[in-house]
């Protein structure tokens, strides 16, 4: 049994579509203020482009934990 | 027939130090973020890279910018 956590930050682009950027192994005790600050910086620096234009606003940020249980492993 | 160079999207690559191997050499992992504007300044890309690195566990070993361009014969 292994739990992996991913931080998924979602943005709206100029076309109104949602685009997300994910990071594995987020820091423990990540605050929403820290995540929001990073998202604001990404929008302000405006270095990313998408098929629907620039990132214009924050939409969502989630920590997603995936719990994986191994049921079968090939014999060695 | 001159060839012109048309820049395509760049890639921002975070090089993360995830641990050390048994013999002590560092184990590095890349996290690539595509769709970076070719016109983005190095400083802006670096600032975003460090901000993203701050959100995750592993120390940042380096930031790589990969630029692409298409060659077109006019």
């Amino acid at each position: 049994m292994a739990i992996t956590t991913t931080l998924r930050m979602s943005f709206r682009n100029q076309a109104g579509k949602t685009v997300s950027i994910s990071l594995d192994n987020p820091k423990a005790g990540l605050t929403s203020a820290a995540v929001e600050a990073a998202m604001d910086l990404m929008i302000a620096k405006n270095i990313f482009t998408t098929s629907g234009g620039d990132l214009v606003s924050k939409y969502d940020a989630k920590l997603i934990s995936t719990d994986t249980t191994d049921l079968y492993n090939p014999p060695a | 027939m001159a060839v012109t160079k048309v820049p395509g999207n760049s890639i921002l690559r975070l090089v993360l130090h995830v641990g050390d191997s048994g013999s002590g050499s560092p184990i590095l992992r890349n996290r690539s973020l595509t769709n970076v504007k070719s016109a983005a300044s190095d400083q802006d890309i670096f600032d975003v890279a460090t901000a993203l690195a701050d959100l995750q566990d592993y120390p940042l070993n380096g930031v790589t910018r990969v630029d692409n361009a298409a060659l077109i014969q006019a």
Side-chain angles (χ1 to χ4, degrees):
Chain A
M1 208 168 72
I3 298 176
T4 56
T5 310
T6 306
L7 168 65
R8 188 165 72 200
M9 295 170 281
S10 305
F11 300 86
R12 287 280 201 213
N13 63 20
Q14 283 170 324
K17 296 241 167 67
T18 310
V19 243
S20 61
I21 291 175
S22 300
L23 279 181
D24 291 338
N25 303 99
K27 262 185 191 154
L30 209 53
T31 61
S32 58
V35 175
E36 278 188 56
M39 293 177 78
D40 284 334
L41 181 79
M42 276 190 271
I43 294 168
K45 295 292 185 183
N46 197 18
I47 66 166
F48 292 109
T49 177
T50 67
S51 53
D54 297 348
L55 305 181
V56 289
S57 62
K58 303 192 290 283
Y59 177 64
D60 190 37
K62 279 188 174 74
L63 283 171
I64 300 166
S65 297
T66 310
D67 187 348
T68 308
T69 307
D70 237 348
L71 294 178
Y72 172 76
N73 282 311
Chain B
M1 294 273 270
V3 170
T4 50
K5 187 171 174 179
V6 181
N9 283 344
S10 300
I11 298 169
L12 161 60
R13 187 169 293 157
L14 302 172
V15 184
L16 303 169
H17 185 179
V18 298
D20 291 300
S21 69
S23 57
S25 55
I27 301 172
L28 302 175
R29 188 181 294 164
N30 289 334
R31 173 70 177 95
S32 294
L33 296 164
T34 56
N35 290 332
V36 173
K37 291 175 189 176
S38 55
S41 78
D42 293 344
Q43 182 68 54
D44 286 349
I45 292 180
F46 187 84
D47 290 347
V48 170
T50 47
L52 285 173
D54 273 348
L55 297 179
Q56 52 83 58
D57 251 344
Y58 300 123
L60 187 62
N61 194 73
V63 180
T64 307
R65 173 184 185 154
V66 184
D67 286 329
N68 291 301
L71 297 177
I72 294 167
Q73 194 161 52

